[in-house]
Amino acid sequence: MKHDDFVKYLAELRSLPPEVPLEPELKPQRIKLDRRIREEQALAAGAVLSAVLEKGERGPSPKEGDLVYIHYSIRDTQDELLFSTRSEEGGAGQAFAFLLEKGVRVPRGWEIAIRDMTRGQRSVLQVQPGFGFRHPECGMRPPACRGLRTDQVLRFDLTLLDWYPAASVHAYGSSSSSSDSTLLKRSIREGSSWESPRPPFEVTLHLTACCPAYDGRQLTGQRLFSSRGRQPLTLQLGRGLLPQGVEDALSYMSKGELAAFVVPASSMRPDTAGGRGRGTAREGKGGAAAAGEAGPRDRWDEEESSSSEDDEDEEEEEEEGGVQGRTGSHGAASGSGRGGGGGGGGSSSSPTPSCCLVPPAPPRCQQVELEVELLGMVQVRDMTGTGEVTKKRVREGSGEFPIDCPLHDTTVRMHYKARPARPMGLQLPAAEAAAQADGGGGGGEGGQGGGEGEGDDGGWVYDSRRVQSEPLMVDTGCGELPEAVEMALKLMVPGEVARVLAAPRYAYAGRPAEECPVGRLPGGAAVEWQGAEVEFEVELLDFEREGHWQNLTFEERYTLAERLKAKGNELFRKQQFKHAKARYDRLLRLLESTRDYEEQQQVERIEAYKVAALGNMALCAVQMGEFAAAVAACDKALEYEPENAKMFFRKGRALSLKGDYEEAAEALKLALEYDPSSEKDINAELAANAERHKAAVRKQKRDLGNFLKAGKR
């Protein structure tokens, strides 16, 4: 290489960017070990210095996941007090609760110190920023106070008050979010079911709300509200009657459960939106905090009370009196809308903050403790997500949801009632009106709902029991019932009774008059079902447990196919062509899902059912004037049996009625070719097709002549 070339080469090398060393990909275990080693090195270098001010009791220390109660103070390196929870240092006098090394994490220096502390011990820590609020895993929001900088060395004065074992506690909410969006639960008594209430469910509960106590003992602090010693609360979720923090807590409970919760004080403030459209802790979006911070501080905000026992007792007595007054107004609120049957349909006006039963915590309170006992709940579901169909369970059935529900189309035994909803002007019977004014007839499961006395018809315009004493036998998925009723049935268990409120398009809008109930309103006025919002009461007695089609043996499939075909034929004879076609359509869907053939005989038999179903669908389509659909069904059947004379005959007739006369004649001639024994019927249809063709030509000539005459004028 020449000298000049060598110099040029060296210059190019110097101009290249420096190489970035590649770091090896570490496994999680190695990453955790490296983090621990770096932490131990930082601690050895003085990242966290601690000294014991007061010794605690002899005994164990908290472990990971325990629910810990502490007092803490924050000072700077000049020993200036920045914040404290202790009343003697100007704080609120309320303990602070968190899960040790779980959920929303506190400063890492606290966790390290508390792991070695015993009950009652007081220690002072000097913590570098990386082990304080700047630690990458710290999710706790620093208290709002002047002079507190998270990028400087801080001194923390911690007192370990009490703790509860991790086996009974759990944190809900995003661990990466602030402490204002987490919820801590301690189970006291397990529930008896798996289902948890959520808006717009109705619940019956006992509720106690209090501020954390100075000594950290749960549920012994300043009481804000309690229903203990009085009648349980019965109300509907999502209507602003409970703060969002309580509704969030209920969403993690089941019937019969008793639990203690620690929730952010901000989540206990009333919401001017009436509980609609708010995020929850379960969603991990900090909805509770957002709702609390967005709401204005109005007359609900109270001055912080004295922590003395005498003042507390006086406040408790005043609060109990106030609760009784508010409960009275709650009864009216929860009883609106047909005893709660609307279930959050969105038609009622949003409650104002004055509807909330639980007052907010004092301004300086960071957390609120709740004791919640969920005595019962009434399942209320928004079936469409738009409030157009809501289902309220008024009597429990027997079975497990959803295993014992008719989720798939099947035959059900049922009774049902129907009446226009209140907006149509229907006056409620006195017994039901009284039940609604009393809060919708109670909130516990199994005893609510009817709001009607013995022998009172409840203003129902239609009752299937009046039409026939035997239960109705109905196949779901075939359009016999209003869509809202079918939607409800699929989420019911045998023996269950439910109220369903349906918008017109999910009730009788667009249905023929003969499919609407026959009856009159009190006073003899006729019912206009087409545009009416309708309330149904549905009772599911039992249903055919056919099992999933793919899990049936071929013999069981043949039996089910015969039953569906026979039911369709029966409806066809009754000239209920729409419902008959729906039976055949369901049968065809089941047959076409078959893939697990083991022998040719099974293939042939299933295909024979397909041809029969398609042929019958074609007949129904012709009767309904859907000639193109009839032709399509016949063509599909001919793919399985190309020489089926019956299919060619039905196709020819449908084509003729559709106006395709030449194609119709060709199809009919093929039918005659494949089945000469039906010559008489086929020739008659050929003659009818020829007459239709001639009539169409005459009409065309007449219309053309009229057009030409009009043009000359």
Side-chain angles (χ1 to χ4, degrees), residues 276-394:
R276 290 187 176 90
R278 297 174 294 186
T280 66
R282 175 171 292 187
E283 295 166 342
K285 297 180 181 178
E293 291 169 2
R297 284 189 172 274
D298 53 16
R299 65 185 182 85
W300 285 99
D301 286 336
E302 303 169 349
E303 294 297 327
E304 185 177 357
S305 306
S306 168
S307 59
S308 68
E309 292 184 6
D310 293 339
D311 290 346
E312 216 168 280
D313 291 342
E314 288 177 9
E315 208 169 59
E316 219 172 282
E317 290 174 7
E318 292 173 4
E319 180 57 43
E320 288 178 1
V323 167
Q324 290 172 356
R326 282 193 294 271
T327 305
S329 66
H330 138 68
S334 65
S336 65
R338 297 195 75 83
S347 59
S348 61
S349 60
S350 299
T352 62
S354 60
C355 293
C356 188
L357 302 181
V358 184
R364 289 197 294 170
C365 185
Q366 289 182 283
Q367 298 172 317
V368 173
E369 294 177 336
L370 306 173
E371 182 188 62
V372 186
E373 183 178 10
L374 182 56
L375 302 173
M377 59 182 172
V378 177
Q379 182 194 77
V380 182
R381 294 184 183 275
D382 184 348
M383 307 294 291
T384 58
T386 60
E388 293 178 281
V389 179
T390 54
K391 169 185 173 286
K392 173 186 175 183
R393 183 172 60 202
V394 296

Side-chain angles (χ1 to χ4, degrees), residues 446-695:
Q448 320 70 358
E452 294 148 11
E454 190 71 30
D456 186 359
D457 67 1
W460 296 104
V461 173
Y462 172 82
D463 186 344
S464 62
R465 290 179 178 84
R466 298 178 194 156
V467 178
Q468 61 182 56
S469 58
E470 293 296 319
L472 297 178
M473 297 283 289
V474 179
D475 283 340
T476 58
C478 298
E480 286 187 71
L481 296 170
E483 189 175 354
V485 175
E486 289 211 6
M487 292 167 68
L489 281 168
K490 292 188 175 185
L491 296 180
M492 296 174 67
V493 296
E496 182 179 337
V497 177
R499 289 281 178 92
V500 181
L501 191 65
R505 70 190 186 106
Y506 290 98
Y508 294 105
R511 298 179 77 92
E514 59 269 18
E515 294 184 12
C516 297
V518 177
R520 292 185 176 274
L521 293 169
V527 184
E528 295 293 336
W529 292 107
Q530 288 291 329
E533 185 181 26
V534 180
E535 183 179 12
F536 300 95
E537 183 176 279
V538 184
E539 180 180 6
L540 175 62
L541 301 175
D542 202 357
F543 65 94
E544 294 287 341
R545 300 173 186 270
E546 297 161 346
H548 195 275
W549 175 264
Q550 301 297 345
N551 296 332
L552 301 178
T553 66
F554 269 88
E555 288 303 321
E556 290 171 332
R557 294 179 194 180
Y558 301 148
T559 302
L560 176 56
E562 285 289 351
R563 188 177 64 78
L564 286 174
K565 189 173 75 168
K567 182 66 175 178
N569 294 346
E570 179 186 347
L571 291 169
F572 185 88
R573 286 192 293 271
K574 293 179 179 179
Q575 297 187 355
Q576 296 182 15
F577 305 116
K578 176 183 174 182
H579 301 320
K581 184 174 179 289
R583 291 301 189 291
Y584 301 134
D585 185 55
R586 180 189 168 203
L587 172 57
L588 188 62
R589 289 198 306 271
L590 292 174
L591 295 170
E592 288 182 338
S593 69
T594 304
R595 300 286 186 274
D596 53 341
Y597 299 106
E598 295 179 356
E599 53 189 44
Q600 184 61 28
Q601 184 181 359
Q602 294 173 345
V603 176
E604 293 172 356
R605 192 166 180 183
I606 291 294
E607 288 186 353
Y609 278 118
K610 290 181 183 179
V611 172
L614 287 164
N616 291 346
M617 286 176 67
L619 284 176
C620 293
V622 167
Q623 294 295 333
M624 295 164 64
E626 299 174 357
F627 306 121
V631 172
C634 291
D635 283 339
K636 196 167 185 179
L638 288 168
E639 292 177 7
Y640 297 105
E641 296 184 10
E643 298 182 359
N644 189 309
K646 188 182 292 186
M647 292 303 107
F648 277 114
F649 180 82
R650 293 176 185 177
K651 177 183 178 180
R653 188 164 191 274
L655 285 168
S656 179
L657 293 170
K658 183 172 176 284
D660 298 332
Y661 307 109
E662 294 180 0
E663 294 180 26
E666 291 178 8
L668 291 169
K669 289 174 183 177
L670 284 172
L672 183 59
E673 179 183 338
Y674 294 131
D675 185 13
S677 63
S678 301
E679 181 180 2
K680 182 178 179 181
D681 293 334
I682 296 172
N683 284 334
E685 189 58 42
L686 279 167
N689 178 61
E691 286 298 322
R692 293 188 194 103
H693 193 184
K694 291 177 183 178

Side-chain angles (χ1 to χ4, degrees), residues 4-151:
D4 292 342
D5 293 337
F6 182 69
V7 171
K8 186 177 180 181
Y9 174 69
L10 289 177
E12 289 178 357
L13 288 178
R14 293 190 190 98
S15 66
L16 293 175
E19 291 187 10
V20 178
L22 296 177
E23 295 185 3
E25 186 176 345
L26 300 178
K27 294 183 178 180
Q29 297 88 342
R30 179 63 184 276
I31 293 173
K32 188 175 181 181
L33 178 61
D34 286 355
R35 189 180 300 155
R36 185 182 303 171
I37 292 172
R38 288 195 297 269
E39 182 177 282
E40 290 175 355
Q41 291 172 344
L43 292 174
V48 178
L49 302 176
S50 65
V52 177
L53 298 182
E54 297 176 11
K55 290 185 178 181
E57 304 172 1
R58 289 186 177 180
S61 299
K63 297 179 177 61
E64 181 180 326
D66 288 351
L67 175 58
V68 175
Y69 279 82
I70 66 168
H71 273 305
Y72 72 95
S73 303
I74 306 177
R75 297 175 183 268
D76 60 18
T77 53
Q78 306 302 316
D79 208 35
E80 181 181 349
L81 181 65
L82 304 176
F83 178 83
S84 180
T85 60
R86 300 179 175 90
S87 54
E88 62 268 24
E89 294 179 334
Q94 298 162 6
F96 179 73
F98 60 92
L99 293 190
L100 186 60
E101 300 182 81
K102 291 285 187 181
V104 176
R105 304 279 292 275
V106 297
R108 181 60 180 155
W110 295 17
E111 296 175 343
I112 293 169
I114 289 172
R115 285 187 309 191
D116 297 324
M117 294 174 68
T118 60
R119 186 177 280 105
Q121 181 176 328
R122 182 173 183 177
S123 298
V124 63
L125 315 176
Q126 182 166 298
V127 179
Q128 297 291 329
F131 280 75
F133 294 110
R134 288 294 185 93
H135 191 274
E137 294 180 349
C138 179
M140 177 182 174
R141 181 181 299 171
C145 55
R146 288 184 179 180
L148 176 57
R149 291 174 50 193
T150 60
D151 60 348

Side-chain angles (χ1 to χ4, degrees), residues 119-192:
R119 186 177 280 105
Q121 181 176 328
R122 182 173 183 177
S123 298
V124 63
L125 315 176
Q126 182 166 298
V127 179
Q128 297 291 329
F131 280 75
F133 294 110
R134 288 294 185 93
H135 191 274
E137 294 180 349
C138 179
M140 177 182 174
R141 181 181 299 171
C145 55
R146 288 184 179 180
L148 176 57
R149 291 174 50 193
T150 60
D151 60 348
Q152 66 180 359
V153 176
L154 295 173
R155 291 176 181 171
F156 298 103
D157 184 348
L158 307 181
T159 301
L160 177 58
L161 302 172
D162 206 350
W163 73 86
Y164 296 88
S168 61
V169 298
H170 198 282
Y172 296 99
S174 174
S175 60
S176 62
S177 60
S178 72
S179 58
D180 282 346
S181 64
T182 194
L183 177 150
L184 308 178
K185 173 185 176 182
R186 179 171 69 89
S187 295
I188 302 173
R189 184 183 68 226
E190 294 295 330
S192 59

